[in-house]
Amino acid sequence: MENSHAENVAPNVYAAVCPSREVLALIGEKWVSLVIGALDQRVLRFGELKRICEGVSQKMLTQTLRKLERDGLVCRQAYSDELVMRVEYRLSELGQTLVPVVAAMKLWAEANLKAIEQSRLEYGGGA
Amino acid sequence: MENSHAENVAPNVYAAVCPSREVLALIGEKWVSLVIGALDQRVLRFGELKRICEGVSQKMLTQTLRKLERDGLVCRQAYSDELVMRVEYRLSELGQTLVPVVAAMKLWAEANLKAIEQSRLEYGGGA
DNA sequence: CTGAATCCCGGCGGATACTG
DNA sequence: CAGTATCCGCCGGGATTCAG
């Protein structure tokens, strides 16, 4: 009852103004899928995450994690009272629901890499 | 037998140099998932595709379609002998295997939009 | 170790004009 | 209708430096 207004329409990524597009863009961001996949079933420290996601810069990893934290996909836990700084990251419940999606993306990418490379060769060479 | 070399390792998106990362990036590109989803189960003309993917510029749609064609995900069919120019696009077999993946991305984005927006409010307001 | 702050460049991507 | 070509702003994202 409380929302019989215009904003109560079903989200649709094909609509130009729908904010769900932003969420779709989030999934596709360069390091998001890797971070989500890395945190599947385990808690990782910043440094571990950085080593796992080969090539990620400190800046981008921090930036990605902040965004994921803000969006409620990952939880950040800092231990300041230790000898050395220690921060752990884990998936939230919401974040876990994204795991199958990014896993599918990863699987598809790895499985069809050869076919795509082959197609590129034929596309360039066949012309 | 012909490939017992170093290149015969399993693709892994977490490896810095693995080309599967490029494929993963492809899936995440701004208009790719929308185009793939739009072409699911049907053949569409350029203009139709452009109207469906609201907000896409002519340049980006062309660019996206060219890339997808080159990678063997979509097939392009031009009919030059018509009164007016007419070009149709459809998914290739390879492209069809990507449909479930992008569908999952779309579903997740639309389904969890509210939760994410809520999380953002709490993140900003709770501080 | 974790992270904030800057500098800076390549290129994504939109707007516009032109072609077949 | 379906592109190609050009100009250009914006920002993603890397390298580096500084701080707690």
Side-chain angles (χ1 to χ4, degrees):
Chain A
M1 331 289 199
E2 68 278 26
N3 42 11
S4 51
H5 306 74
E7 62 175 48
N8 195 24
V9 295
N12 174 17
V13 292
Y14 284 97
V17 297
C18 186
S20 66
R21 274 208 185 163
E22 189 187 341
V23 179
L24 192 62
L26 171 70
I27 303 177
E29 274 175 35
K30 189 167 185 180
W31 300 106
V32 167
S33 61
L34 290 183
V35 167
I36 296 290
L39 288 175
D40 183 27
Q41 306 279 31
R42 59 181 173 181
V43 176
L44 291 176
R45 298 182 53 173
F46 184 88
E48 296 173 319
L49 216 35
K50 187 169 187 307
R51 260 180 289 109
I52 291 173
C53 301
E54 295 182 17
V56 68
S57 67
Q58 171 273 317
K59 171 187 167 183
M60 288 315 298
L61 182 55
T62 298
Q63 192 169 299
T64 299
L65 287 169
R66 284 292 168 283
K67 189 175 299 187
L68 291 178
E69 185 191 2
R70 191 186 66 133
D71 290 352
L73 300 180
V74 307
C75 304
R76 179 180 185 274
Q77 175 79 320
Y79 301 89
S80 309
D81 53 343
E82 310 261 334
L83 307 93
V84 294
M85 170 77 80
R86 175 154 154 259
V87 180
E88 291 183 344
Y89 293 93
R90 62 179 177 80
L91 291 182
S92 69
E93 285 192 21
L94 182 58
Q96 289 176 40
T97 67
L98 186 53
V99 168
V101 179
V102 300
M105 292 168 62
K106 168 178 157 65
L107 270 179
W108 193 92
E110 294 172 351
N112 299 100
L113 170 61
K114 291 285 185 186
I116 289 178
E117 285 181 335
Q118 181 60 29
S119 177
R120 285 179 184 171
L121 287 179
E122 294 170 1
Y123 188 82
Chain B
M1 325 291 195
E2 68 277 27
N3 43 10
S4 51
H5 307 74
E7 61 176 48
N8 195 23
V9 294
N12 173 18
V13 291
Y14 285 97
V17 297
C18 185
S20 66
R21 273 206 184 164
E22 190 186 341
V23 179
L24 192 62
L26 171 71
I27 303 177
E29 274 176 35
K30 190 166 186 181
W31 300 106
V32 166
S33 60
L34 290 182
V35 167
I36 296 291
L39 288 175
D40 182 28
Q41 308 279 32
R42 58 180 173 182
V43 176
L44 290 177
R45 300 181 53 173
F46 183 88
E48 296 173 320
L49 216 36
K50 185 168 188 307
R51 261 180 288 109
I52 292 174
C53 301
E54 295 182 18
V56 68
S57 67
Q58 169 277 320
K59 170 188 165 181
M60 288 315 298
L61 182 54
T62 298
Q63 193 169 299
T64 299
L65 286 168
R66 284 292 169 282
K67 188 175 298 188
L68 291 177
E69 185 191 2
R70 191 188 64 135
D71 291 353
L73 299 180
V74 307
C75 304
R76 178 180 185 274
Q77 175 79 321
Y79 301 90
S80 310
D81 52 345
E82 310 261 335
L83 306 91
V84 295
M85 169 78 80
R86 176 155 153 260
V87 181
E88 291 183 345
Y89 292 93
R90 62 177 178 81
L91 291 182
S92 69
E93 285 192 21
L94 182 59
Q96 290 176 40
T97 67
L98 185 54
V99 168
V101 179
V102 300
M105 293 167 61
K106 167 178 158 64
L107 269 179
W108 193 91
E110 293 173 350
N112 299 100
L113 170 61
K114 291 285 184 186
I116 289 178
E117 286 182 334
Q118 181 60 29
S119 178
R120 285 179 184 172
L121 288 178
E122 294 169 2
Y123 189 82

